[in-house]
Structure formats: C-alpha cells, structure tokens
Amino acid sequence: MNDIMTLSQKADALEAKMARELDYIVIKSRLYSMAEGDLGPAPNAGELMRKNPNARVLMGDDPRLPAMPDKPTLMDFFKYRFGPCMHLLQSARHAVRADLPEKMVLACLLHDISTIGFIRGDHGYWGAQLVEPYVDEEVTWAIRAHQVLRFYPDESVGYEYPQSYITSFGAEYRPDSYIEEDYKRMRNHKWYMAGRQITVHDIYSFDPNVHPELEEFEDVIGRNFKQPEQGLGFDNSPVAHMWRAMIRPAKYL
Ligand SMILES: [Fe+2]
Ligand SMILES: [Fe+2]
C-alpha cells in the first residue's frame, strides 16, 4: 500500500500522524505555502481534529520555537527569532570605523532585519516599516532606500554594482520598474546619502576574522531605538502585528 501512495498522500499521512502525536495542529499561512509553490487548499483543520480530538490549532505560543519574553525587546528578536546576523554586525562595525553618526550605525545594524526575520522580497520596504515607529525618520528612509540603491552605482562614493548580483541574478538582470521609479525619486531626495551610506557599508565580510557581538551595539540600540515599554508587538503601534507575526508565525487566526 505504502508503495503506491502518492507524494501528497504521504504528506497527508505524515500530517495526520503528527496531529495524533501532538496536541496542536499547524495550518500554515498562504504566503508560506505559496513560497513552496503550493497553490493547493490549506489542510482541513476540522478533519485533523476529528483524527485527534485532543489537538487544537495553534493559537498560543509555538512550542517548536524558543519562548519569547512577555515584553520582547529588539535584542530578544535578535536572540530568539532572527537568523544569523553576522552580516548586520559587520556592516554596523564598518559604519563605526567610518565614523558615521550613531543613527547611521543603527541603520546599518538594522538594514536587513526583514531578510533575517520576516520576508526577503522587498526587504528594504518591509524592514523600514518594521522599525518606523521606533527610529529617526531618516533611518527608516535609508533602510527602505538601501534595497533600491544597491542596484545603482555611485562613483562619488566608490559604490559599484555588486559582483554578487551579477552572479546571483545574471548579467542581464534589470531591476523591476517600481525599483527604477523609486530610484529616480530617491536619487533626488534630501536623505539620498543616508540610504547610499548603507549600501557602502553593506558588505559581507570586510574581515572574515572579525566577529562582532550584538552586545557591542546594545548602547547604540538603547540610545537610538525607542524600545516600547509594553514590548515590540504589544505597543499598539501601526506595526505591532508585524512583530507579533514573528513571535507567533504560525498562529491560526
Ligand atoms: Fe539589503
Ligand atoms: Fe545587507
């Protein structure tokens, strides 16, 4: 019987087995399934619960992920949710060495938080939105802009089109037209240089032997990131739900 099970039957069987073993059921958000190229319907939660009457869909903390404090700080997200952040630490360290103002060090430290914690595509826009209520307006602007400006050289600061983009996207790749249009707007903006500075310090390893620690930037964060008292996700800000999505990424509703 097992031999003739299709892949999707096998997946269903595995899911049912998991549901029997666990007392919670994970129904992934549509965005996660689409990222797997899966346009099928979501698993039927009711049916899964019939197979294991003790199981419930996930509405509380996700037992598979580290527990978060009740009032999570930015540091907690780095520790318990974000992926490896060496690139951001190196970028921030590079900015320190270049004597950039502290808020730009923070901008470098946070420029890719969407990539390491939330959504990759349009990570500059998402990242800017995540931090907007908590940082200087120019920092938000620069984080949004860096993703766009990365595609465009600027000889005045020695910034060239990244070799890694040629390798990753192909030599013929051209940015989407909305990026092109945003570039034209950003090029003439009063904060252009702030966004550009992130691209200059957006380096992958200026010294592979240097491994800065997040704690090194704790004071910079403390002085430049308005940590909400109630914790990120619970401060009733316009982006609180986005932070909650990282705390409980598989919450059913
Ligand atoms: Fe980036
Ligand atoms: Fe980056």
Side-chain angles (χ1 to χ4, degrees):
M1 168 68 189
N2 274 357
D3 294 343
I4 53 165
M5 271 173 112
T6 64
L7 265 184
S8 97
Q9 281 170 327
K10 276 184 191 164
D12 287 349
L14 184 67
E15 220 160 68
K17 182 172 174 280
M18 279 168 64
R20 278 195 303 277
E21 285 166 3
L22 304 170
D23 55 3
Y24 60 91
I25 293 165
V26 175
I27 308 289
K28 281 192 224 165
S29 289
R30 184 75 173 168
L31 193 60
Y32 306 146
S33 346
M34 285 196 294
E36 300 293 337
D38 176 5
L39 285 176
N44 185 324
E47 202 174 302
L48 289 169
M49 278 182 283
R50 269 192 296 281
K51 285 175 194 155
N52 180 2
N54 297 324
R56 294 286 178 270
V57 290
L58 205 51
M59 288 297 283
D61 287 336
D62 193 324
R64 301 165 302 175
L65 298 174
M68 289 285 276
D70 291 339
K71 297 175 179 177
T73 62
L74 180 63
M75 295 290 275
D76 292 324
F77 278 89
F78 269 99
K79 281 186 214 152
Y80 304 120
R81 285 296 181 273
F82 294 169
C85 63
M86 192 48 69
H87 163 61
L88 293 180
L89 297 177
Q90 294 214 344
S91 176
R93 172 78 80 83
H94 206 244
V96 170
R97 288 188 178 178
D99 262 338
L100 253 52
E102 220 176 50
K103 70 176 178 185
M104 284 311 299
V105 173
L106 182 80
C108 288
L109 182 68
L110 301 182
H111 78 275
D112 283 339
I113 56 165
S114 184
T115 314
I116 65 169
F118 197 58
I119 294 179
R120 294 192 63 89
D122 277 332
H123 71 283
Y125 299 84
W126 287 112
Q129 196 178 350
L130 277 167
V131 301
E132 189 157 25
Y134 316 110
V135 300
D136 187 282
E137 230 181 310
E138 190 174 356
V139 171
T140 304
W141 193 92
I143 291 177
R144 182 178 298 113
H146 95 273
Q147 175 203 330
V148 171
L149 300 181
R150 284 278 270 153
F151 292 104
Y152 302 91
D154 183 341
E155 277 176 22
S156 77
V157 290
Y159 178 82
E160 293 173 351
Y161 185 79
Q163 188 58 45
S164 65
Y165 280 14
I166 299 177
T167 315
S168 307
F169 314 142
E172 304 74 31
Y173 177 79
R174 293 292 171 272
D176 290 317
S177 53
Y178 72 93
I179 297 279
E180 194 74 50
E181 281 156 30
D182 259 355
Y183 171 65
K184 286 180 203 147
R185 279 189 285 269
M186 289 167 173
R187 188 73 190 82
N188 296 313
H189 195 278
K190 62 176 173 179
W191 288 330
Y192 167 75
M193 238 345 133
R196 177 52 74 197
Q197 284 301 337
I198 298 184
T199 70
V200 169
H201 300 285
D202 197 348
I203 33 109
Y204 280 82
S205 191
F206 62 94
D207 180 347
N209 300 315
V210 173
H211 297 291
E213 297 289 331
L214 183 59
E215 284 63 29
E216 192 178 316
F217 301 100
E218 209 166 353
D219 291 347
V220 173
I221 293 174
R223 285 189 291 268
N224 297 275
F225 186 90
K226 292 181 222 88
Q227 172 64 44
E229 211 183 292
Q230 309 90 324
L232 287 165
F234 306 103
D235 58 338
N236 196 33
S237 84
V239 302
H241 60 286
M242 292 167 69
W243 292 90
R244 292 197 300 267
M246 291 185 280
I247 298 172
R248 294 175 171 177
K251 193 164 185 251
Y252 186 60
L253 291 178

